[in-house]
Amino acid sequence: MAAYARYSRNRSNTTPSQVNLVSARSRTNVEVNRLSRRNSADGYARLRKSRSRRKSILIGVAVVATSLLIAAVVAVGIYTIVINNKLSTSLSGESVSFTEGVYENLFVQPLTEEEPFWILLMGTDETEWEPGYSRTDTLILVRVDPMAGKAAMVSIPRDLYVNIPDYGMDKINAAYSYGEQFDDETGVSLCIKTVSEFAGVDIAYFAQVNFWGLIDIVDTLGGVWVDVPVDIVGDENLGGVEIYQGLQKLTGRESLAFCRSRYFFIGDFQRQANQRTFLQALVKQILASDPATIASALSSIADITYTNMSMGKIINVAQNMKGMQESDILTYHVPVSDMPTINEISYVVADSYSWYQLINALDSGTYPPPQEDAYAGLVPDSYTSDFNPAQDMTGGQLTDIKTSDYVVDVRNGCGVDGCARSISDMLSIAGYQDGEVGNTNAYVYPNSLIIYKDPNHRQVAENIRQRMGYGRVLASNGGYEFNGDILVVVGDDFTK
């Protein structure tokens, strides 16, 4: 009935079915007429030509798009090849194959991308090189667990007394020198053999870095935020650079000074701790950067690094580790039992039992608490494994708010040691001015509060809440006293 009513509006003296039939015939007649013999010589030809033109245009677009895609793939391929060539070129400029000669069967690499692996970081400092007698200035053994998103760094004292294969007992940094002096070995390969034997672990990769190149890497990133644990003042070897304790953005030159200085009561042990602290901050900042910055940083790193890791492997690991915090990079040092002087030469002797326990725990994926002996060196509290620092949940993204115009006070309202400082540090990195950091009168706040005085500052408070990822925004209305523009009271949701 409904169908009949619809057709009846347009009918003349025909039935609805006839209307359908006539209209169908009319459409058919048009098509038939269009393809009749009378019109085939011109009409059909024009139709076919029109279709061919459209097809040509589509093919042209597809060809251009495909060409651009191929060009992009080729460009990425060339970039990767260039980077790989940089990485496999030694610091002396020699291109090396890591599957032949002294490197044959040296590395034991993981079978899958998900498996943990060990990598040896070898730092050199050109200012301390002597002709024909180069030594590694820094040795850090790192266990990387891509699936867990964790890494454990173990600093190895350069004066550690160990067995060097085929050469006997000596300082561990002499292995590199011995390898460089003889034709049947290289500094890198002998150093890897020595560390692998001492630690009792298989090493999959190595990276030899010239620490002077840190300047370019850090400046490429626009500086690196580091929570400096101890003042570095009065070291004449740093060319006048002085760095004071606290969270700050280090320039390339300051970063180099932070990693090189031994001007401490415990000397090289604090230097090792500083290097681990810096690497924690550097890795976090690179992984939190945008793709263009990461690519630029990797290119700068490739210029100063000699490694058997391919660009593809580095990218895969970086993707798995993206978003990691300083506390995901755990730091340790070789336990020390003695520091004897033999023939007027100082050595460091490892505590064999404690070393065995530490390295076996790490190799099994267990992370012991931070070491607290006299040789651990000072590190920021927020970088240790038992503390999870505040994270900027926006990934540090920029907004229309000029964060540097606002002072933020932070108070601990939940009783977790360090939480107020952690929030304040996170907001400092986002550009906000540091205000007062302290405690509330009582730890009774189940939820964090972001409080504003000026109604025009509500958007600022909302931005802070977004960066924290939790909390309530509310107006002060005279109920809260604080000197800054915004007050953050950290509640129990800090730990959730």
Side-chain angles (χ1 to χ4, degrees), residues 58 172 237 262 455 469 481:
L58 290 175
I172 197 166
N237 296 317
R262 298 188 185 90
E481 294 184 2

Side-chain angles (χ1 to χ4, degrees), residues 120-363:
L120 179 62
L121 303 182
M122 306 165 60
T124 57
D125 189 340
E126 291 177 350
T127 62
E128 296 182 1
W129 281 15
E130 300 176 34
Y133 201 63
S134 304
R135 294 189 178 214
T136 47
D137 192 58
T138 299
L139 288 173
I140 301 177
L141 186 60
V142 186
R143 183 183 186 271
V144 179
D145 189 340
M147 293 305 295
K150 288 186 176 293
M153 297 193 297
V154 185
S155 292
I156 301 175
R158 60 182 190 161
D159 295 335
L160 188 68
Y161 196 53
V162 297
N163 176 63
I164 299 176
D166 300 326
Y167 293 91
M169 301 298 292
D170 206 332
K171 290 186 177 183
I172 197 166
N173 68 344
Y176 186 88
S177 177
Y178 289 149
E180 290 293 286
Q181 292 181 70
F182 298 98
D183 294 335
D184 60 343
E185 197 61 87
T186 69
V188 168
S189 60
L190 186 57
C191 189
I192 291 171
K193 290 177 182 177
T194 302
V195 174
S196 181
E197 179 183 287
F198 168 68
V201 298
D202 293 325
I203 294 176
Y205 304 100
F206 83 96
Q208 184 183 5
V209 179
N210 175 2
F211 268 110
W212 280 88
L214 281 178
I215 294 176
D216 290 337
I217 297 174
V218 172
D219 289 342
T220 295
L221 293 169
V224 171
W225 284 93
V226 179
D227 193 353
V228 176
V230 60
D231 293 345
I232 303 176
V233 179
D235 189 339
E236 297 177 355
N237 296 317
L238 302 182
V241 175
E242 293 187 341
I243 306 171
Y244 293 87
Q245 182 181 359
L247 180 71
Q248 57 201 280
K249 181 183 283 188
L250 299 183
T251 65
R253 190 160 171 258
E254 290 169 338
S255 298
L256 179 61
F258 181 67
C259 291
R260 290 186 63 233
S261 180
R262 298 188 185 90
Y263 200 70
F264 310 104
F265 179 73
I266 58 173
D268 200 49
F269 292 100
Q270 182 59 49
R271 178 175 182 264
Q272 293 172 27
N274 286 351
Q275 289 174 352
R276 296 193 303 268
T277 293
F278 176 80
L279 288 174
Q280 285 174 290
L282 177 65
V283 169
K284 175 193 173 184
Q285 189 154 327
I286 289 176
L287 293 180
S289 300
D290 59 87
T293 301
I294 292 176
S296 180
L298 288 177
S299 182
S300 296
I301 291 172
D303 287 332
I304 66 165
T305 303
Y306 172 41
T307 179
N308 64 327
M309 290 187 80
S310 68
M311 187 65 173
K313 178 64 179 180
I314 294 172
I315 291 174
N316 285 336
V317 173
Q319 287 175 336
N320 285 327
M321 307 292 274
K322 189 170 179 63
M324 71 189 310
Q325 300 297 310
E326 287 96 338
S327 57
D328 295 320
I329 309 174
L330 301 101
T331 66
Y332 305 92
H333 64 276
V334 174
V336 177
S337 66
D338 196 11
M339 298 178 63
T341 298
I342 304 174
N343 296 326
E344 299 183 352
I345 299 176
S346 298
Y347 294 92
V348 173
V349 178
D351 180 338
S352 299
Y353 178 72
S354 297
W355 171 239
Y356 175 83
Q357 285 186 313
L358 174 63
I359 202 69
N360 276 277
L362 295 178
D363 200 34

